[in-house]
Amino acid sequence: MDLDRVMDEVGHFGKYQGFCYFLLSFSIYYAAIAGLSYAFTAGDIDYRCHIPQCDGPDPTYNTEWMKNAFPYENDKPKRCERYAFSDASFNVSNALCQSDVFDNSSELICNDWVFDDKELTIVNQWNLTKCTGSQWKRTIVGTVNNVGQLIGFPLAGYFSDRYGRKSTLLVSILVTCVLGLLRSLAWNYEAFLFFEFVVAGFSGGIYNSGFVLGLELVGPKARVIGSAVISCFYSMGMVFLAAIAMWASNWRILQAIYAPGLVCVAYYWLLPESVRWLQSQGRLNEVKEIMKKAAKFNGVPLSDQEFSKFELTPADTKPEEEKQPVPKRSNAEAFKKVFKSKILLARLLNCAFCWITNSFVYIGLSLSAVSVGGDKYTNFMLVAIVEIPAYGVTPILSEKFGRRLSLCGSLLIAGVCCICFAFIPE
């Protein structure tokens, strides 16, 4: 069966494909959420030394006497030091913590802290301060997340090829959402880290199988548009994540964001399997039914008689004795062919280098958005929103200038902009 010819008749991106992409959007949202939520759950917050004599039983981060008690750095009190009392035996009260009771020539290291209570992250949940040398526990969360995705992506690819894109996507999204909800019950840092790893691992299957399923439901002429639409869904997921994080201001409450994702169980009945995967498995009757449904949805008449013209190829019309069986090649043979060809190997290494570079820059810019000046939630949203017009321009540039020139130009412009960051004043 010539699927490309069928797509010419049915429509490369019609109403039916649009409906399928609408369904896929929910799952792609959660690929973004699971992949970048640690920017908020493990976000850094302000804290200072706790001074029992001044803070009282219910301390708050901002006080009137802060400048008297702490050395300052970049307009903020130092996190691990405070001034000693001018008279060590003098016991002051909250109202009397004036400048004359502190010796600003003598700094002490503290072992208890008061956190800014505007939000709850794992930093103030489990005292992950640089003063105790445990700040690495906060930063390693992103590493664990990316390791989980590194393992999840190839596994998802294997299961997607073996059991189908739809099945892999359905399992990935449901398990991700269930584990995401369970993460809100993490009883200690180690449990949180475990959930971070497994959620990220299964989320790799969401984007991997969802992206491939989306592209295999459209015709060749709509693949660039299809990839741009799916990428827009990812950006919208980032905006959704930042909006909920702003509202919740609590990493445990933020995990409720996974609850709506459970409606994706409806994929079992509403979302079709990839027609190209079904064709590769020899399940042509199912391909036929899906394409007939797509034709009806797109308003294209396609009867059984008309469909039959796509079912015969020149090879099929040959006498039985002249037909040659098509040899099946294993993945190992495919890899051997790549490594034996200098051209294919160079292209593989080039594409791998581009993906690694893009990942570093993309994740780096997304995470740095929460640490620069201004509101971190707004910054994160803007970094995500600015991608959408870029995705809209991509199909136009790709068709006009080709994939290679568009990619080269994008990398050069992005690289120059990243270098220019170094010259922006503090």
Side-chain angles (χ1 to χ4, degrees):
M1 180 184 296
D2 190 342
L3 271 176
D4 289 343
R5 288 179 60 205
V6 177
M7 290 291 184
D8 287 336
E9 294 286 335
V10 172
H12 288 256
F13 200 121
K15 294 179 181 179
Y16 183 74
Q17 288 94 334
F19 172 72
C20 294
Y21 270 59
F22 171 75
L23 294 176
L24 283 173
S25 67
F26 292 98
S27 61
I28 301 300
Y29 290 164
Y30 285 96
I33 290 168
L36 289 167
S37 63
Y38 65 90
F40 301 106
T41 58
D44 197 15
I45 59 176
D46 291 326
Y47 54 88
R48 61 167 176 82
C49 292
H50 176 242
I51 303 178
Q53 297 92 331
C54 299
D55 278 312
D58 190 19
T60 58
Y61 176 77
N62 290 300
T63 65
E64 295 180 359
W65 45 265
M66 281 178 62
K67 290 190 176 181
N68 302 327
F70 305 102
Y72 269 63
E73 188 176 58
N74 297 326
D75 296 326
K76 288 186 178 182
K78 286 188 176 181
R79 295 181 166 188
C80 305
E81 295 87 26
R82 67 176 181 87
Y83 291 136
F85 286 115
S86 55
D87 182 357
S89 62
F90 187 73
N91 188 15
V92 298
S93 65
N94 191 14
L96 298 175
C97 288
Q98 305 299 326
S99 59
D100 58 340
V101 301
F102 295 101
D103 179 8
N104 58 15
S105 64
S106 177
E107 296 182 9
L108 301 177
I109 303 296
C110 56
N111 54 16
D112 196 11
W113 303 271
V114 175
F115 294 90
D116 192 344
D117 59 1
K118 291 181 180 178
E119 61 179 316
L120 177 68
T121 72
I122 64 172
V123 173
N124 48 345
Q125 177 82 75
W126 293 301
N127 282 344
L128 306 183
T129 67
K130 70 174 184 178
C131 313
T132 59
S134 58
Q135 192 176 25
W136 65 270
K137 290 185 177 181
R138 181 184 73 85
T139 56
I140 204 174
V141 172
T143 303
V144 169
N145 181 287
N146 282 273
V147 170
Q149 293 189 65
L150 181 66
I151 295 174
F153 271 117
L155 287 176
Y158 169 79
F159 286 109
S160 183
D161 285 340
R162 183 168 185 135
Y163 300 106
R165 286 59 161 131
K166 175 182 170 181
S167 300
T168 304
L169 174 63
L170 184 59
V171 171
S172 298
I173 181 64
L174 293 179
V175 174
T176 295
C177 289
V178 169
L179 291 175
L181 290 171
L182 290 176
R183 182 165 52 182
S184 65
L185 305 176
W187 51 94
N188 56 27
Y189 171 78
E190 289 73 21
F192 172 86
L193 213 59
F194 168 77
F195 282 114
E196 186 70 35
F197 175 77
V198 293
V199 168
F202 278 98
S203 72
I206 298 175
Y207 193 82
N208 188 322
S209 53
F211 190 93
V212 174
L213 174 58
L215 291 190
E216 291 182 343
L217 285 174
V218 301
K221 296 179 181 179
R223 284 173 186 161
V224 176
I225 296 175
S227 63
V229 171
I230 292 175
S231 298
C232 286
F233 293 155
Y234 193 92
S235 299
M236 292 166 64
M238 292 173 62
V239 174
F240 182 49
L241 168 65
I244 298 301
M246 178 190 294
W247 167 79
S249 297
N250 185 313
W251 76 267
R252 291 190 185 273
I253 298 176
L254 177 60
Q255 306 312 305
I257 197 173
Y258 289 98
L262 296 176
V263 302
C264 291
V265 69
Y267 283 178
Y268 183 82
W269 298 278
L270 299 177
L271 192 66
E273 179 57 272
S274 163
V275 289
R276 297 189 184 277
W277 181 81
L278 290 172
Q279 183 187 39
S280 70
Q281 302 299 305
R283 295 158 61 174
L284 299 183
N285 287 333
E286 295 177 59
V287 174
K288 182 178 178 180
E289 291 303 315
I290 292 174
M291 296 313 299
K292 288 172 64 178
K293 183 177 180 181
K296 182 178 180 181
F297 208 106
N298 291 345
V300 178
L302 192 63
S303 64
D304 286 339
Q305 291 77 12
E306 292 172 318
F307 204 97
S308 63
K309 65 183 178 182
F310 305 112
E311 296 180 357
L312 294 178
T313 65
D316 294 322
T317 59
K318 291 181 180 179
E320 190 68 29
E321 61 272 11
E322 295 184 20
K323 291 182 179 180
Q324 298 293 329
V326 179
K328 291 186 177 181
R329 294 178 177 175
S330 65
N331 290 334
E333 291 177 333
F335 274 108
K336 287 180 181 178
K337 185 175 181 180
V338 169
F339 284 99
K340 286 181 179 179
S341 169
K342 292 182 179 180
I343 295 177
L344 292 178
L345 182 58
R347 290 175 181 174
L348 175 64
L349 294 176
N350 193 359
C351 289
F353 175 77
C354 289
W355 272 110
I356 291 171
T357 304
N358 284 332
S359 296
F360 271 121
V361 175
Y362 185 88
I363 296 175
L365 292 178
S366 299
L367 296 181
S368 66
V370 302
S371 60
V372 297
D375 181 72
K376 66 180 182 181
Y377 304 105
T378 303
N379 291 344
F380 194 87
M381 289 183 194
L382 292 175
V383 166
I385 291 173
V386 77
E387 296 177 33
I388 295 177
Y391 291 133
V393 173
T394 297
I396 301 173
L397 296 179
S398 295
E399 292 301 324
K400 186 174 180 62
F401 300 107
R403 277 65 159 156
R404 183 173 62 175
L405 187 58
S406 300
L407 174 62
C408 182
S410 300
L411 288 170
L412 286 173
I413 294 172
V416 170
C417 291
C418 286
I419 293 172
C420 290
F421 286 153
F423 301 98
I424 297 177
E426 291 291 334

